[in-house]
Amino acid sequence: MKLLLRQHLESMKERDGLDVLLPQLLSELGYEVIHRPRIGGRQAGVDVAAVGPDPDTENKKSLLLFVIKSGNVGRADWDGSLQAVRPSLGEVIDDYIPNRIPEQFRGLPITVCVCMGGEIEEGIRAAWRGFVNNNTRDGLSFREWNGDRIANLILSGVLTHQLLPPTQRANFQKAIALVSEPDESYQNFRALLDDLSDGLQPDQAGTTRLRQMMICLWILVTSGFDAENLDAPYRACELAMLHVWDAVRQCPERKRKRYAERWEIFQNVVSLYLSVGQAFLVDKIGPHAGKRFALSAAVQSRSPMDVNLSLFDLLGRLVLLGHWHHAIACRAEGGEAQVHLAKRDELLDLAIQTINNNPTLVAPMRDDHQIEIAMLTSLAQSCGRLENVSGYLEEVANRIAYGYRRRSHWVTCFREYQHLARHPIDRSDAYFRRSTIGSVLVPFVLVALDRLGKSGAQAQFERDIQDTLAHSTFQTWVPHEKTADSFWKAGQSICLGIALGLQSGDGSNASMSSEIANICSMHGRILEWEAVQRGLYPLVLTACRHHRLPVPPQFWVDPAS
């Protein structure tokens, strides 16, 4: 375990890495963190400041000032630029200590700690000792917090035997070791999260588990970067967001300090998700989205089904990340908002390129591909570019109707891989009815075409499904009053809401769009959820995609932002 932590710490970056991990670790160990890293503005050399027992002075209460650097500290890191260690230490002595220490902490002994994931290299250790000897005085000392020390603190304070029982340690170690086998790694990490969050209470012990969860997630992500395989880390980030948000919403806001701690952990997990998504989807996969059949070939399977399922999964990831950037932009201001809007637009462009260059995406195989298509439509609406996906929706409708008419590889409600691999077994009426007994995709396509103003395509699609799917039940899914208690962490086998049958698809005069509008007004509880109220509607889409639950009609075209 220590070797894994040591390797993880050495490879962590300074920004959005050690500077996020260290405050969480200090808080867990009982320190009061009074200064955290921030982007923009001068920090006078100090990345993190905390008040607590100094382990090098018999645990005497002290003010610890941390200067953080990534990896090993070599000659260039010591005095090679204005951001190097020695100039930063000079700023701490000349600016932070005399001018920036809060009044209530001015009487405490001060310990300046150079914190790094690696260690101080031998080539500059003499220079480090000389600096320490020249600047140490009564009430001011200097310490080296290297990766080995931080790993020991993590093991003693966060990942002890009492907090990580053998079953959890086994799941964690398997998730790390099998990171190049994404399915196995994800399943083990999911088991770890389920154990950690099982019965999690809104108390300090629950917050400790969340920090523990976050540190484990960081180690998995770093292992994924080292192995150049980010599939499992991406899926783990999605699931961790849902687990942490469930813990945030269960903590009463009146417990302000604890709620703030959990909210900070949630923000850190979202930040990690955005970083992994950028590296995985935009930087690694994005350059190939514009190449004809490149992503289809990358699936490395001769089975059209494998290609179809993999490409729809990728499409869902792209548009979900776009929704997160849109939601963050709506909460941000100025330049930060523009950065996220640009990334949102880039992800929609990548999704459209992926569709244009991989024709399998116009022919969904599973009825629950409604999730990906609905998220794409709502993201296009957020970008003001519905016209860019209208042709895609028309073609999807044509392919669905063609498959039903010809009974050739039609969209089925089956989800299990073994059933899909054999689909269609035959073209008999009995099998056709069984494989199309219900649909959430068909009503979505009907409503989307109507809202896009494609009345001709909608009328033709409606005639086709009335001729071929008279036996089918058209449905939509909405949460009920208890959905939020199990929605965020639940698996596929748990009933989480209400499936409502729709009458408009049976040839009646009622409009599907008006019926959906009535359902939205009658079952609008989801819009009262804290996540939606706070502008975090992508959490709902994340849960739907991750747990394969249909996107509720409130999010079909207009996201609840």
Side-chain angles (χ1 to χ4, degrees):
M1 180 73 78
K2 183 177 178 180
L3 177 61
L4 288 173
L5 284 169
R6 186 70 174 79
Q7 293 172 341
H8 162 68
L9 292 166
E10 189 171 352
S11 62
M12 287 183 75
K13 298 179 181 179
E14 175 185 343
R15 177 65 60 188
D16 295 327
L18 281 171
D19 62 346
V20 178
L21 172 63
L22 184 63
Q24 295 293 337
L25 177 60
L26 292 171
S27 294
E28 181 55 38
L29 293 171
Y31 290 83
E32 179 186 354
V33 179
I34 63 173
H35 177 88
R36 299 175 184 272
R38 61 182 184 272
I39 299 176
R42 296 185 67 251
Q43 301 190 90
V46 174
D47 294 298
V48 176
V51 175
D54 183 354
D56 298 309
T57 59
E58 298 180 348
N59 290 326
K60 184 177 181 180
K61 185 177 181 180
S62 304
L63 173 63
L64 280 68
L65 307 178
F66 291 88
V67 177
I68 300 176
K69 293 297 174 185
S70 62
N72 294 328
V73 175
R75 189 166 300 280
D77 305 297
W78 172 250
D79 200 12
S81 68
L82 292 176
Q83 288 75 39
V85 173
R86 183 164 185 167
S88 296
L89 292 173
E91 286 190 75
V92 174
I93 296 172
D94 299 334
D95 186 353
Y96 192 94
I97 292 176
N99 302 320
R100 301 183 182 231
I101 296 176
E103 187 66 33
Q104 64 268 34
F105 302 123
R106 285 190 176 275
L108 295 176
I110 299 171
T111 301
V112 180
C113 306
V114 178
C115 176
M116 70 222 82
E119 59 187 16
I120 295 178
E121 295 180 356
E122 285 301 319
I124 63 159
R125 189 161 289 281
W128 160 248
R129 284 197 295 267
F131 181 90
V132 171
N133 292 335
N134 290 335
N135 291 279
T136 298
R137 58 179 183 264
D138 188 30
L140 176 63
S141 57
F142 296 84
R143 300 285 184 267
E144 173 187 348
W145 282 45
N146 57 27
D148 199 61
R149 180 170 196 164
I150 298 173
N152 285 332
L153 288 173
I154 292 175
L155 288 169
S156 63
V158 179
L159 300 178
T160 60
H161 177 77
Q162 292 78 11
L163 291 178
L164 260 187
T167 55
Q168 292 178 357
R169 289 205 304 271
N171 287 328
F172 175 59
Q173 291 167 340
K174 288 178 183 177
I176 300 300
L178 298 172
V179 71
S180 294
E181 300 291 335
D183 289 339
E184 292 295 324
S185 178
Y186 168 76
Q187 291 300 331
N188 280 284
F189 195 80
R190 178 164 192 155
L192 172 65
L193 292 191
D194 288 342
D195 284 345
L196 289 174
S197 60
D198 184 34
L200 191 146
Q201 299 296 322
D203 55 11
Q204 191 58 45
T207 304
T208 296
R209 286 193 176 190
L210 291 182
R211 290 199 183 99
Q212 180 183 357
M213 183 188 303
M214 187 172 61
I215 291 173
C216 292
L217 179 64
W218 266 322
I219 297 173
L220 178 66
V221 168
T222 302
S223 299
F225 275 106
D226 291 342
E228 297 184 350
N229 193 325
L230 294 175
D231 191 352
Y234 175 88
R235 293 159 68 182
C237 285
E238 275 192 359
L239 187 62
M241 270 197 301
L242 300 176
H243 279 254
V244 176
W245 173 253
D246 190 61
V248 171
R249 71 172 193 86
Q250 291 187 55
C251 184
E253 289 197 42
R254 64 178 182 273
K255 297 183 178 180
R256 295 181 180 179
K257 181 179 179 181
R258 194 165 301 145
Y259 188 90
E261 290 174 344
R262 294 191 177 198
W263 174 250
E264 182 185 7
I265 293 171
F266 172 74
Q267 289 180 305
N268 289 334
V269 175
V270 172
S271 178
L272 189 60
Y273 162 78
L274 295 177
S275 299
V276 173
Q278 177 72 24
F280 184 30
L281 301 174
V282 179
D283 299 340
K284 188 172 185 178
I285 296 177
H288 306 287
K291 302 174 184 177
R292 190 70 170 171
F293 302 118
L295 296 178
S296 296
V299 178
Q300 296 185 344
S301 174
R302 295 183 179 182
S303 168
M305 178 193 66
D306 290 337
V307 176
N308 186 273
L309 297 180
S310 296
L311 266 293
F312 266 101
D313 182 63
L314 172 60
L315 178 64
R317 297 183 187 195
L318 288 169
V319 295
L320 179 60
L321 185 59
H323 276 291
W324 272 105
H325 282 297
H326 174 74
I328 294 171
C330 291
R331 294 163 53 88
E333 297 178 353
E336 182 184 357
Q338 294 304 314
V339 168
H340 286 287
L341 289 175
K343 290 184 176 181
R344 176 203 67 181
D345 293 340
E346 180 184 15
L347 284 156
L348 180 60
D349 288 337
L350 289 177
I352 293 173
Q353 290 177 25
T354 301
I355 292 169
N356 291 339
N357 291 289
N358 299 274
T360 187
L361 287 171
V362 301
M365 292 187 66
R366 293 192 339 198
D367 191 70
D368 69 344
H369 284 154
Q370 178 258 8
I371 301 168
E372 286 74 25
I373 300 173
M375 290 198 303
L376 171 68
T377 307
S378 60
L379 180 62
Q381 170 74 18
S382 300
C383 297
R385 295 170 55 186
L386 269 176
E387 70 280 359
N388 294 146
V389 300
S390 60
Y392 170 67
L393 285 169
E394 286 189 80
E395 187 60 26
V396 167
N398 291 335
R399 294 299 184 96
I400 292 173
Y402 179 83
Y404 289 149
R405 288 198 308 267
R406 298 297 299 270
R407 296 197 180 180
S408 173
H409 296 93
W410 59 87
V411 179
T412 175
C413 57
F414 296 149
R415 294 188 184 185
E416 293 78 8
Y417 186 88
Q418 59 269 29
H419 290 160
L420 292 170
R422 300 169 60 201
H423 175 72
I425 296 175
D426 56 50
R427 298 184 179 184
S428 66
D429 289 343
Y431 177 78
F432 183 75
R433 285 193 295 270
R434 188 167 71 253
S435 63
T436 57
I437 192 65
S439 177
V440 294
L441 177 58
V442 167
F444 166 76
V445 173
L446 280 168
V447 172
L449 290 174
D450 183 36
R451 294 184 179 177
L452 287 168
K454 302 294 182 179
S455 56
Q458 179 205 12
Q460 181 61 52
F461 185 57
E462 191 163 10
R463 286 193 295 271
D464 289 334
I465 63 171
Q466 287 171 6
D467 292 339
T468 56
L469 296 183
H471 61 279
S472 185
T473 302
F474 301 129
Q475 303 174 354
T476 188
W477 177 84
V478 293
H480 54 54
E481 62 276 5
K482 296 184 179 180
T483 297
D485 295 333
S486 53
F487 178 68
W488 307 108
K489 300 187 299 182
Q492 300 177 15
S493 61
I494 300 178
C495 180
L496 298 170
I498 305 170
L500 299 175
L502 302 172
Q503 303 299 320
S504 306
D506 59 4
S508 65
N509 293 326
S511 162
M512 183 74 75
S513 293
S514 61
E515 189 173 358
I516 289 296
N518 290 334
I519 289 174
C520 289
S521 63
M522 294 173 61
H523 300 273
R525 187 177 298 273
I526 191 173
L527 300 180
E528 301 173 2
W529 286 2
E530 182 182 353
V532 179
Q533 291 288 316
R534 298 188 65 159
L536 298 173
Y537 77 91
L539 275 169
V540 177
L541 301 180
T542 303
C544 288
R545 200 197 82 82
H546 204 91
H547 301 313
R548 305 312 296 171
L549 292 165
V551 174
Q554 290 87 352
F555 300 85
W556 278 9
V557 176
D558 298 310
S561 56

